[in-house]
Amino acid sequence: MKLAVVGGGSTYTPELIDGFARLRGVLPIDELALIDPAAERLELVGGLARRIFARQGHPGTVTTTSELDVGVDGADAVLLQLRVGGQAARERDETWPLECGCVGQETTGAGGLAKALRTVPVVLDIAERVRRGNPDAWIIDFTNPVGIVTRALLAAGHKAVGLCNVAIGFQRKFARLLDVAPAEVHLDHVGLNHLTWELGVRLGGPDGTDVLPKLLAEHGEAVADDLHLPRTLLDRLGVVPSYYLRYYYAHDEVVRAQRGKPTRAEEVAALERQLLEMYADPALDTKPELLARRGGAYYSEAAVDLAASLLREGGSTYQAVNTLNRGTLPFLPDDAVIETQARIGRDGAHPLPVPALDPQFTGLIAHVTAYEELALRAALHGGRDRVFKALLAHPLVGQNEYAEQLTDQLLAHNKEHLAWA
């Protein structure tokens, strides 16, 4: 079995490698191809990857290349984890929206739109090259904004599933609080990428006993603190929102905080410099503890589980992924991409039934879905008017004056990445 990782020079990659090495019984890999145009970074990461495999006794081969067509040739699955424009583009995404009093974030709001516009054309080009050389390969997208990117891939007819680590992070956190094994925790995870709620926490599987009320009663303060949201809000909602709902539920508070501290991009850039220095040490053969501060917790385990379910015989599994709605949420179009629990098998992802949702959730989901459709149109076809309409439709922008200013800012900061701008 061969897996290819586009963006293999990322400082994230050793987290992924560690999971592949530890879980080789779940996903036996003969070759892992790391693909990245940044040759120096790729060599550092590739060297550490080989040492991690050797330490864990993994028999597979780690190869590195800057040539996409070479790296994906013969791959059974291709994982996408790229960042067009690097941390410099991310820092801009996190700053210029603040000038209009809007949240600066790389996956939602105006910054998230900028990232989508830069990313979608690149991902579609990669996917088309994968399809030409290997039409049976699965594409697993971890590239943000995952919902929009996955929708672009599926609309173009690619075999694709989107992956985010929010659900597996909650699963692990709740398992610790409940003192059970993570495999015992099944989440009723529903919404869009970075716009999800845990409607239930079931022990034993999709039909298990819902212990969410107990979890909130006994551990609500700890959960709320992790989310930086008031405990009273969780009690009123009766569910657990993802961290990203804070950008909606406490927007102005977040903006005030962002204006007074370094951007996350600056923090990550500093971490990456330290990590790359560590990766250069020929004695290092495990992922360093510092990597946990980089983000992407449990990404490797989620990726291994998803790839194994898509590629191996032996029955289906359940996992929260990004896939086509297909009537799961009846208030959305069938071709919308939702993030929810699904049965995963060699035939792809099939969402599990979802109970009727309260209007406080359906309204925001429908609103952001409409924005995502407009964002995808802008990413595919370009044009200032399309960018403006997407921004005007976003619930974190929504005003003509702001949409006009943010459109000008977005285009000014991203001209090098947008051929039509």
Side-chain angles (χ1 to χ4, degrees), residues 128-192:
E128 189 55 42
R129 290 166 68 179
V130 171
R131 179 161 57 187
R132 285 201 301 266
N134 189 6
D136 292 327
W138 279 102
I139 295 177
I140 298 173
D141 178 59
F142 195 67
T143 296
N144 281 319
V146 168
I148 296 173
V149 172
T150 302
R151 185 167 182 171
L153 287 166
L154 292 171
H158 297 289
K159 293 176 60 177
V161 181
L163 182 63
C164 179
N165 67 325
V166 167
I168 194 171
F170 273 133
Q171 182 199 44
R172 298 303 196 266
K173 184 177 301 180
F174 295 162
R176 289 194 301 271
L177 292 173
L178 296 167
D179 195 25
V180 298
E184 289 296 305
V185 177
H186 177 92
L187 302 177
D188 292 342
H189 178 91
V190 181
L192 310 176

XYZ file of all heavy atoms in Angstrom, residues 128-192:
498
model
N -6.699 16.872 -10.086
C -6.834 16.476 -11.481
C -5.605 15.700 -11.939
O -5.719 14.709 -12.679
C -7.042 17.702 -12.362
C -7.410 17.378 -13.802
C -8.642 16.482 -13.908
O -9.618 16.701 -13.164
O -8.624 15.548 -14.750
N -4.453 16.109 -11.478
C -3.232 15.376 -11.833
C -3.212 13.992 -11.177
O -2.749 13.010 -11.780
C -2.009 16.205 -11.445
C -1.851 17.431 -12.319
C -0.872 18.434 -11.745
N 0.501 17.942 -11.743
C 1.540 18.667 -11.299
N 1.334 19.904 -10.850
N 2.760 18.162 -11.324
N -3.725 13.910 -9.964
C -3.849 12.599 -9.316
C -4.794 11.714 -10.119
O -4.499 10.540 -10.386
C -4.352 12.748 -7.863
C -4.698 11.380 -7.279
C -3.315 13.453 -6.998
N -5.933 12.272 -10.525
C -6.931 11.482 -11.255
C -6.395 11.006 -12.606
O -6.668 9.871 -13.016
C -8.210 12.300 -11.442
C -9.287 11.552 -12.205
C -10.673 12.136 -11.996
N -10.777 13.546 -12.347
C -11.868 14.281 -12.108
N -12.927 13.741 -11.521
N -11.905 15.547 -12.456
N -5.653 11.856 -13.292
C -5.108 11.446 -14.589
C -4.155 10.266 -14.438
O -4.150 9.348 -15.260
C -4.366 12.625 -15.243
C -5.282 13.684 -15.824
C -4.546 14.512 -16.875
N -3.357 15.170 -16.324
C -3.332 16.409 -15.847
N -4.448 17.128 -15.829
N -2.217 16.935 -15.389
N -3.341 10.288 -13.390
C -2.366 9.225 -13.216
C -2.885 8.025 -12.458
O -2.399 6.900 -12.640
N -3.877 8.241 -11.591
C -4.352 7.166 -10.726
C -5.812 7.439 -10.340
O -6.081 7.914 -9.240
C -3.470 7.074 -9.481
C -3.785 5.849 -8.648
O -4.580 5.008 -9.048
N -3.174 5.754 -7.484
N -6.750 7.146 -11.217
C -8.159 7.518 -10.985
C -8.821 6.815 -9.810
O -9.868 7.262 -9.354
C -8.844 7.137 -12.307
C -7.946 6.122 -12.934
C -6.562 6.494 -12.521
N -8.235 5.750 -9.307
C -8.842 5.028 -8.184
C -8.381 5.537 -6.818
O -8.883 5.082 -5.783
C -8.535 3.530 -8.287
C -9.230 2.887 -9.474
O -10.347 3.340 -9.811
O -8.659 1.961 -10.067
N -7.442 6.458 -6.792
C -6.899 6.937 -5.517
C -7.921 7.788 -4.772
O -8.640 8.603 -5.365
C -5.629 7.745 -5.752
N -7.984 7.617 -3.464
C -8.788 8.481 -2.607
C -7.989 9.738 -2.267
O -6.765 9.680 -2.078
C -9.152 7.763 -1.304
C -10.316 6.844 -1.436
C -10.289 5.486 -1.554
C -11.700 7.222 -1.462
N -11.561 4.988 -1.654
C -12.444 6.030 -1.600
C -12.365 8.440 -1.385
C -13.841 6.031 -1.658
C -13.752 8.451 -1.445
C -14.481 7.260 -1.582
N -8.689 10.856 -2.177
C -8.079 12.103 -1.724
C -8.658 12.428 -0.352
O -9.877 12.534 -0.189
C -8.340 13.257 -2.707
C -7.643 12.960 -4.039
C -7.861 14.584 -2.123
C -7.894 14.004 -5.108
N -7.790 12.558 0.639
C -8.193 12.922 1.996
C -7.729 14.344 2.233
O -6.522 14.629 2.208
C -7.570 11.964 3.034
C -8.075 10.538 2.799
C -7.887 12.425 4.449
C -7.395 9.492 3.658
N -8.673 15.245 2.413
C -8.332 16.664 2.521
C -8.302 17.122 3.970
O -9.320 17.086 4.662
C -9.318 17.533 1.748
C -8.970 19.005 1.909
O -7.847 19.371 1.531
O -9.786 19.763 2.455
N -7.132 17.573 4.402
C -6.974 18.187 5.712
C -6.660 19.675 5.557
O -6.351 20.361 6.517
C -5.849 17.479 6.482
C -5.813 17.784 7.958
C -6.833 17.361 8.800
C -4.756 18.480 8.514
C -6.792 17.631 10.162
C -4.702 18.748 9.880
C -5.734 18.324 10.705
N -6.725 20.167 4.309
C -6.376 21.550 4.010
C -7.569 22.453 4.258
O -8.651 22.243 3.715
C -5.914 21.666 2.543
O -4.723 20.905 2.377
C -5.647 23.106 2.164
N -7.356 23.490 5.060
C -8.426 24.442 5.373
C -8.621 25.476 4.271
O -7.668 25.795 3.553
C -8.096 25.168 6.682
C -8.396 24.321 7.894
O -9.405 23.646 7.947
N -7.505 24.356 8.883
N -9.837 26.013 4.149
C -11.047 25.626 4.885
C -11.616 24.310 4.336
O -12.014 24.231 3.180
C -12.010 26.797 4.646
C -11.528 27.453 3.390
C -10.055 27.207 3.298
N -11.610 23.295 5.189
C -11.883 21.929 4.747
C -13.241 21.796 4.067
O -13.372 21.102 3.060
C -11.762 20.949 5.938
C -12.316 19.567 5.575
C -10.318 20.826 6.381
N -14.278 22.435 4.605
C -15.611 22.303 4.017
C -15.665 22.806 2.590
O -16.200 22.132 1.690
N -15.115 23.985 2.345
C -15.146 24.570 0.997
C -14.248 23.784 0.052
O -14.621 23.502 -1.098
C -14.733 26.052 1.054
C -15.745 26.862 1.865
C -14.602 26.634 -0.351
C -15.338 28.300 2.127
N -13.062 23.413 0.522
C -12.139 22.661 -0.338
C -12.729 21.295 -0.694
O -12.670 20.863 -1.852
C -10.772 22.505 0.358
C -9.868 21.575 -0.433
C -10.101 23.866 0.525
N -13.331 20.620 0.273
C -13.937 19.315 -0.005
C -15.115 19.459 -0.963
O -15.304 18.621 -1.861
C -14.396 18.650 1.304
O -13.285 18.518 2.186
C -14.981 17.267 1.038
N -15.896 20.517 -0.792
C -17.019 20.744 -1.717
C -16.502 20.955 -3.140
O -17.085 20.435 -4.103
C -17.841 21.950 -1.267
C -19.094 22.177 -2.104
C -20.037 23.160 -1.451
N -21.252 23.341 -2.241
C -22.323 24.004 -1.826
N -22.333 24.541 -0.619
N -23.389 24.123 -2.595
N -15.401 21.679 -3.287
C -14.815 21.883 -4.610
C -14.368 20.554 -5.216
O -14.611 20.284 -6.400
C -13.633 22.842 -4.508
N -13.742 19.714 -4.413
C -13.273 18.412 -4.905
C -14.429 17.520 -5.326
O -14.405 16.903 -6.392
C -12.456 17.721 -3.809
C -11.065 18.295 -3.534
C -10.518 17.764 -2.215
C -10.108 17.963 -4.672
N -15.459 17.445 -4.492
C -16.595 16.579 -4.805
C -17.378 17.104 -6.000
O -17.861 16.325 -6.828
C -17.489 16.440 -3.575
C -16.862 15.666 -2.416
C -17.722 15.762 -1.162
C -16.649 14.197 -2.796
N -17.513 18.428 -6.100
C -18.227 19.007 -7.244
C -17.512 18.706 -8.556
O -18.145 18.612 -9.612
C -18.374 20.516 -7.057
N -16.188 18.534 -8.481
C -15.408 18.205 -9.682
C -15.330 16.701 -9.927
O -14.632 16.261 -10.842
C -13.999 18.786 -9.555
N -16.027 15.922 -9.113
C -16.114 14.482 -9.342
C -14.980 13.655 -8.780
O -14.798 12.502 -9.181
N -14.218 14.199 -7.845
C -13.102 13.455 -7.276
C -13.561 12.552 -6.132
O -14.555 12.842 -5.453
C -12.025 14.421 -6.781
C -11.418 15.243 -7.862
N -10.575 14.714 -8.815
C -11.546 16.562 -8.172
C -10.201 15.662 -9.658
N -10.774 16.794 -9.285
N -12.824 11.477 -5.909
C -13.059 10.581 -4.771
C -12.413 11.226 -3.554
O -11.218 11.038 -3.307
C -12.467 9.204 -5.035
C -13.131 8.404 -6.131
C -12.397 7.088 -6.375
C -12.349 6.203 -5.135
N -11.695 4.892 -5.394
N -13.184 11.996 -2.803
C -12.598 12.814 -1.748
C -13.434 12.765 -0.483
O -14.659 12.662 -0.523
C -12.450 14.264 -2.217
N -12.735 12.858 0.641
C -13.357 12.991 1.960
C -12.564 14.055 2.712
O -11.328 14.074 2.648
C -13.329 11.665 2.749
C -14.004 11.844 4.109
C -14.000 10.552 1.963
N -13.267 14.951 3.408
C -12.606 15.977 4.195
C -12.451 15.536 5.647
O -13.322 14.851 6.193
N -11.342 15.938 6.251
C -11.034 15.508 7.611
C -10.640 16.701 8.466
O -9.878 17.563 8.039
C -9.875 14.498 7.586
C -9.447 13.905 8.931
C -10.569 13.095 9.549
C -8.202 13.041 8.745
N -11.170 16.732 9.698
C -10.835 17.757 10.678
C -10.593 17.052 12.005
O -11.143 15.979 12.253
C -11.975 18.764 10.809
S -11.702 20.086 12.009
N -9.781 17.645 12.875
C -9.462 16.978 14.136
C -10.322 17.443 15.304
O -10.078 17.052 16.443
C -7.980 17.167 14.471
C -7.634 18.604 14.793
O -8.208 19.525 14.214
N -6.701 18.811 15.700
N -11.344 18.287 15.063
C -12.187 18.777 16.158
C -12.914 17.621 16.836
O -12.915 17.497 18.070
C -13.184 19.835 15.658
C -14.268 20.098 16.713
C -12.463 21.145 15.338
N -13.541 16.757 16.057
C -14.339 15.674 16.649
C -13.471 14.703 17.442
O -13.829 14.329 18.564
C -15.110 14.935 15.558
N -12.333 14.292 16.884
C -11.496 13.339 17.608
C -10.904 13.989 18.860
O -10.701 13.336 19.882
C -10.390 12.748 16.699
C -9.764 11.516 17.370
C -9.344 13.776 16.337
C -8.824 10.740 16.470
N -10.682 15.308 18.805
C -10.225 16.003 20.001
C -11.260 15.956 21.106
O -10.940 15.696 22.273
N -12.522 16.203 20.760
C -13.600 16.098 21.742
C -13.740 14.668 22.261
O -13.961 14.439 23.456
C -14.928 16.551 21.133
C -15.185 18.027 21.238
C -15.619 18.744 20.133
C -15.020 18.708 22.430
C -15.876 20.108 20.220
C -15.270 20.064 22.537
C -15.692 20.768 21.420
N -13.643 13.711 21.351
C -13.771 12.307 21.764
C -12.734 11.959 22.823
O -13.047 11.356 23.860
C -13.606 11.386 20.559
C -13.771 9.912 20.896
C -13.162 9.001 19.850
O -12.044 9.250 19.377
N -13.879 7.951 19.481
N -11.487 12.352 22.580
C -10.419 12.054 23.536
C -10.633 12.813 24.853
O -10.416 12.262 25.933
C -9.055 12.404 22.940
C -8.686 11.623 21.687
C -8.709 10.113 21.936
N -8.018 9.370 20.917
C -8.565 8.829 19.832
N -9.859 8.989 19.620
N -7.847 8.144 18.965
N -11.044 14.054 24.764
C -11.260 14.872 25.967
C -12.398 14.309 26.814
O -12.283 14.163 28.040
C -11.565 16.307 25.560
C -11.709 17.286 26.708
C -11.947 18.699 26.176
C -10.817 19.139 25.288
N -10.990 20.503 24.746
N -13.500 13.968 26.158
C -14.643 13.431 26.896
C -14.310 12.070 27.499
O -14.768 11.735 28.595
C -15.862 13.325 25.988
C -16.381 14.655 25.491
C -17.226 14.707 24.388
C -16.042 15.843 26.118
C -17.717 15.918 23.924
C -16.518 17.064 25.659
C -17.359 17.100 24.557
N -13.530 11.258 26.780
C -13.148 9.946 27.311
C -12.357 10.099 28.605
O -12.572 9.347 29.567
C -12.338 9.178 26.267
N -11.460 11.083 28.641
C -10.696 11.320 29.874
C -11.612 11.760 31.011
O -11.484 11.283 32.150
C -9.620 12.376 29.631
C -8.461 11.915 28.767
C -7.290 12.867 28.851
N -7.644 14.226 28.425
C -7.556 14.648 27.175
N -7.155 13.832 26.217
N -7.867 15.889 26.873
N -12.542 12.660 30.719
C -13.438 13.144 31.763
C -14.349 12.036 32.283
O -14.682 12.001 33.474
C -14.280 14.307 31.223
C -13.526 15.604 30.901
C -14.454 16.603 30.222
C -12.918 16.211 32.162
N -14.755 11.137 31.388
C -15.664 10.055 31.766
C -14.922 8.802 32.228
O -15.560 7.827 32.653
C -16.560 9.707 30.574
C -17.515 10.819 30.104
C -18.105 10.473 28.745
C -18.618 11.046 31.130
N -13.592 8.828 32.103
C -12.757 7.698 32.509
C -13.139 6.417 31.758
O -13.339 5.354 32.346
C -12.846 7.475 34.026
C -11.731 6.565 34.538
O -10.673 6.499 33.875
O -11.927 5.912 35.582
N -13.234 6.555 30.437
C -13.502 5.400 29.583
C -12.502 5.423 28.433
O -11.825 6.428 28.188
C -14.945 5.411 29.029
C -15.953 5.333 30.167
C -15.194 6.644 28.156
N -12.416 4.333 27.704
C -11.548 4.276 26.529
C -12.138 5.144 25.416
O -13.365 5.190 25.247
C -11.409 2.836 26.048
N -11.300 5.844 24.635
C -11.825 6.681 23.553
C -12.751 5.940 22.596
O -13.745 6.505 22.114
C -10.555 7.161 22.842
C -9.519 7.157 23.905
C -9.844 5.966 24.771
N -12.438 4.673 22.322
C -13.263 3.900 21.384
C -14.685 3.717 21.885
O -15.594 3.427 21.097
C -12.624 2.536 21.128
N -14.906 3.894 23.201
C -16.251 3.759 23.763
C -17.116 4.991 23.523
O -18.332 4.945 23.710
C -16.156 3.502 25.272
C -15.630 2.135 25.639
C -16.590 1.045 25.167
O -17.782 1.090 25.519
O -16.132 0.164 24.419
N -16.495 6.113 23.123
C -17.218 7.386 22.998
C -17.597 7.634 21.544
O -16.729 7.718 20.662
C -16.363 8.558 23.523
C -17.086 9.886 23.321
C -16.023 8.349 24.993
N -18.888 7.739 21.305
C -19.410 8.090 19.979
C -20.105 9.445 20.093
O -20.975 9.642 20.957
C -20.404 7.035 19.482
C -21.023 7.389 18.163
N -20.494 6.987 16.961
C -22.133 8.127 17.865
C -21.254 7.452 15.978
N -22.238 8.143 16.497
N -19.737 10.371 19.230
C -20.297 11.720 19.283
C -21.406 11.902 18.260
O -21.285 11.461 17.111
C -19.198 12.755 18.998
C -17.978 12.749 19.914
C -16.973 13.790 19.440
C -18.383 13.011 21.350
N -22.471 12.561 18.677
C -23.471 13.062 17.726
C -22.968 14.426 17.264
O -23.368 15.479 17.759
C -24.840 13.176 18.386
C -25.435 11.821 18.731
O -24.977 10.817 18.168
O -26.353 11.772 19.575
N -22.069 14.387 16.300
C -21.303 15.557 15.839
C -21.953 16.055 14.554
O -21.987 15.345 13.551
C -19.858 15.102 15.592
C -18.933 16.156 15.078
N -18.181 16.953 15.911
C -18.604 16.523 13.816
C -17.430 17.771 15.186
N -17.669 17.522 13.909
N -22.459 17.285 14.553
C -23.274 17.751 13.434
C -22.958 19.206 13.119
O -22.750 20.019 14.023
C -24.782 17.634 13.751
C -25.621 18.107 12.567
C -25.144 16.204 14.103
N -22.953 19.537 11.827
C -22.815 20.918 11.391
C -21.993 21.012 10.125
O -22.065 20.148 9.238
N -21.210 22.081 10.039
C -20.272 22.301 8.953
C -18.872 22.321 9.535
O -18.685 22.467 10.738
C -20.544 23.639 8.252
C -21.974 23.929 7.813
C -22.042 25.348 7.217
C -22.454 22.908 6.788
